[in-house]
Amino acid sequence: MTGMIVAVGRDERHRFSKPALPAIRLLAGLGVEGDAHCGVTVKHRSRVAADPTQPNLRQVHLLHAELFDELAVAGFALKPGDMGENLTTRGIDLLALPTGTRLQLGDDALVEITGLRNPCAQIEAFRPGLLKAVLGRDAKGALIRKAGIMGIVLKGGEVRPGDPVALMLPAPPHRALERV
């Protein structure tokens, strides 16, 4: 299965949305160069407050553009970067990937998926009603988090809109993504 990068973004400050850029550089073991969440240890404010020595499993935030299509039907006009993602993709069911999936981004960069983004109150503050729209329930009533996935950078490189995304699944048994 392959997909494509639709948009890339970063922000040096802890703001909710990230501006779209022509390219970003991923740094092995750190994340997105120049992004507020770049680093070996956690940078997300609530996680830093709990334990600043935790490893940063949220170096890169990926979101599927198909979510924007779904949200548009529900009345939310969003564009790439609005939900704080670094990489917006199309053509890959990111939420269905198992933990440990590796994504080859463009020619050089390699990201390993660590888990799901846990939607928080910042989403609701950004657009009232959006938090409920990015949460769902499966047939058994289990919570579905649709606000993207998180990963760590294994190999750095420049990533641009239009770059291909190739999947490398981990060896079975596969583990479903959990929030990180």
Side-chain angles (χ1 to χ4, degrees):
M1 179 186 294
T2 61
M4 182 179 70
I5 301 290
V6 174
V8 299
R10 67 169 163 75
D11 191 351
E12 69 281 351
R13 294 183 42 209
H14 285 278
R15 291 179 277 221
F16 184 73
S17 297
K18 295 186 188 300
L21 298 170
I24 58 173
R25 178 162 298 284
L26 301 184
L27 304 173
L30 297 172
V32 180
E33 182 177 52
D35 193 78
H37 294 95
C38 186
V40 174
T41 57
V42 292
K43 302 301 176 201
H44 192 271
R45 291 184 215 173
S46 66
R47 294 176 189 266
V48 168
D51 177 3
T53 67
Q54 294 176 72
N56 188 1
L57 302 178
R58 301 165 55 104
Q59 294 174 358
V60 181
H61 176 198
L62 300 97
L63 188 72
H64 50 297
E66 291 84 356
L67 179 62
F68 295 135
D69 302 338
E70 177 185 329
L71 293 172
V73 173
F76 296 98
L78 300 172
K79 63 185 184 314
D82 278 353
M83 293 187 51
E85 74 275 10
N86 300 110
L87 299 166
T88 309
T89 66
R90 186 167 289 281
I92 296 175
D93 187 356
L94 296 177
L95 302 178
L97 297 175
T99 301
T101 298
R102 293 181 175 189
L103 302 177
Q104 176 73 45
L105 308 170
D107 292 333
D108 298 316
L110 184 64
V111 169
E112 184 174 301
I113 303 309
T114 56
L116 294 167
R117 175 188 183 188
N118 191 33
C120 65
Q122 288 181 328
I123 291 176
E124 191 64 20
F126 175 66
R127 296 272 167 82
L130 187 56
L131 180 60
K132 184 178 180 182
V134 297
L135 294 172
R137 298 274 175 190
D138 67 14
K140 295 179 182 177
L143 186 63
I144 299 172
R145 294 171 174 87
K146 303 181 205 176
I149 62 174
M150 309 303 285
I152 58 171
V153 181
L154 298 179
K155 183 179 177 209
E158 191 168 89
V159 181
R160 309 176 161 278
D163 281 351
V165 178
L167 292 176
M168 292 163 270
L169 295 174
H174 293 160
R175 290 184 307 123
L177 294 174
E178 297 178 6
R179 68 184 172 120
V180 293

